[in-house]
Amino acid sequence: MDKGRQLESAASRAVATAGAAGRLAARQAVSTSRRLAIRLARPPAAGAPPVWSIHITSMVIAGLCATLFASAFDPYVQPAAHQSDAALLRFMASVTDVAKSGWYIVPAVIVVTVIGLLDWGELRHGSRRVLATAYGQAGYILAAIAIPGIATNIAKQFIGRGRPRVMDEFGVYAFHPFQFDSAFQSFPSGHSTTAGSLAAILILWHPKWKWPVLAAMFLLACTRLPAGAHYPADVVCGFAFGFVLALLIARWLARRSAVFTLRGNAALPVLKA
């Protein structure tokens, strides 16, 4: 009986300890979320450059023009790429899921959650600064990939473009909105949107490598062609949309001196040191 009571007492203490730890973690999460909300809700500094700039306008116009230009090749490029036996195209088709948003959203959520549950009051100043930087950058990755991705998925329903697999039945330029069917969710490409967002993120981290990064991420977006999932116009539009929206999010944060800072009329904000 004594042994049974000891086990019961130990179990009760373990439950109480776990409950206390859970309540502490919940309080820390609420505290971190409150600090973040206050930080982002404060007005931008006087004279801060606007989120939308002439550079963004130029990018949007360039993206629209590129999409229209690419659409002229939709009847030819996609079928040729999908039906080709070229080793390079087969390889591209095999790695296309590298552009799936989940590969980047899930780690970002984990980092944000873990850091958000920490008791920042017990940390040294240097540690808090490092964690704040990691928290901000992970939060930006989450927003820069999730928000464009959600917007793209909503747009797909309104546009309803048929995918290449239904080309023979409905044609290349078939639009059937609100079908809520994957077969009519081709424009814009979700994977390409993620690739565009990744391009913006990596360029903001490594601005000296912007052209190689841009080329590599666009090539990643183009893997949707040999995969048989999209037309060229879908890829170009999705990539441009993800890039521009991720950049707008970064500029919005920079106006509030969060994660980034804006320098004059430059299009790209700079990571805070």
Side-chain angles (χ1 to χ4, degrees), residues 70-152:
S71 67
F73 297 91
D74 286 355
Y76 315 107
V77 174
Q78 202 292 323
H82 184 49
Q83 296 167 10
S84 173
D85 291 327
L88 176 60
L89 294 180
R90 294 303 95 206
F91 172 76
M92 290 175 66
S94 70
V95 301
T96 189
D97 281 346
V98 172
K100 267 193 171 182
S101 59
W103 289 109
Y104 313 99
I105 289 177
V106 172
V109 168
I110 292 172
V111 172
V112 167
T113 302
V114 170
I115 296 178
L117 293 176
L118 295 176
D119 184 358
W120 290 55
E122 297 296 323
L123 300 174
R124 295 180 179 178
H125 176 73
S127 298
R128 287 200 301 269
R129 186 171 182 177
V130 170
L131 288 173
T133 299
Y135 184 85
Q137 293 187 12
Y140 169 65
I141 293 172
L142 177 58
I145 292 179
I147 293 175
I150 292 170
T152 293

Side-chain angles (χ1 to χ4, degrees), residues 5 17 19 21 23 36 49 64 71 81 86 97 112 116 158 170 185-186 207 223 225 237 241 255 258 263:
R5 283 195 293 271
T17 300
R23 289 191 294 273
L36 176 63
L64 290 173
S71 67
D97 281 346
V112 167
F158 283 88
F170 295 97
Q185 297 178 7
S186 189
T223 61
L225 301 178
C237 182
F241 181 73
R255 273 174 57 83
R263 292 184 179 175

Side-chain angles (χ1 to χ4, degrees), residues 36-60:
L36 176 63
I38 292 172
R39 178 71 178 274
L40 297 181
R42 67 187 183 185
V51 173
W52 194 279
S53 69
I54 186 64
H55 302 287
I56 302 297
T57 301
S58 300
M59 291 178 191
V60 170

